[in-house]
Amino acid sequence: MTADNDATMDFFSDEESLDAAKIFYRYNRSMLKDFLGQMPKDWRTAKRKDQQEWNRSINDKCGTVGGAQYRSKTIGERTDTLNCHSNAIGLRALRLVLEAARIDRERWQQGQP
């Protein structure tokens, strides 16, 4: 991290950074839920176990959001946890968009609506 980055990081208070992380986390979580809802029902059913495994792996990597363990962390640690989840959720949503495009392309090639 450079001195310029340090100065930028100090521009926001810890509470403001945590509030911003909460907003991004909620937005990304909502976006992922919307993308999952738009996927074909048979696909969602087939991939349910994969989604559950992904949820577990992200909690193992980033820590859980909510609960006593989360609340016992410092503001900086909570912000890091939320940012980690937000980044992972964004990547998961991108993969879903690419998967949906593949499904649509296959259906189009087969002449299905």
Side-chain angles (χ1 to χ4, degrees):
M1 197 178 263
T2 65
D4 291 338
N5 287 340
D6 288 339
T8 303
M9 296 296 286
D10 292 337
F11 183 74
F12 296 105
S13 70
D14 289 345
E15 291 82 11
E16 289 171 328
S17 295
L18 180 59
D19 289 341
K22 286 178 186 178
I23 290 167
F24 287 124
Y25 168 74
R26 289 176 184 144
Y27 172 78
N28 286 340
R29 190 177 64 183
S30 174
M31 178 181 55
L32 179 61
K33 187 177 178 180
D34 288 346
F35 285 145
L36 283 171
Q38 293 174 16
M39 298 299 283
K41 187 173 176 104
D42 58 334
W43 184 92
R44 288 191 314 245
T45 302
K47 300 290 185 174
R48 184 171 288 130
K49 188 171 184 171
D50 291 342
Q51 183 64 31
Q52 290 169 343
E53 289 176 12
W54 180 83
N55 289 340
R56 276 192 289 280
S57 72
I58 208 64
N59 282 335
D60 290 344
K61 178 184 174 195
C62 300
T64 58
V65 175
Q69 184 180 15
Y70 172 77
R71 287 190 298 273
S72 68
K73 294 180 177 182
T74 66
I75 289 176
E77 291 170 332
R78 283 187 268 170
T79 302
D80 291 344
T81 298
L82 289 169
N83 286 334
C84 181
H85 274 267
S86 291
N87 290 336
I89 290 168
L91 289 173
R92 178 74 173 169
L94 176 61
R95 287 185 187 120
L96 286 176
V97 168
L98 295 173
E99 179 73 11
R102 185 190 62 78
I103 291 169
D104 285 344
R105 186 176 53 251
E106 287 175 0
R107 286 184 176 174
W108 181 78
Q109 288 172 347
Q110 296 172 359
Q112 296 175 357

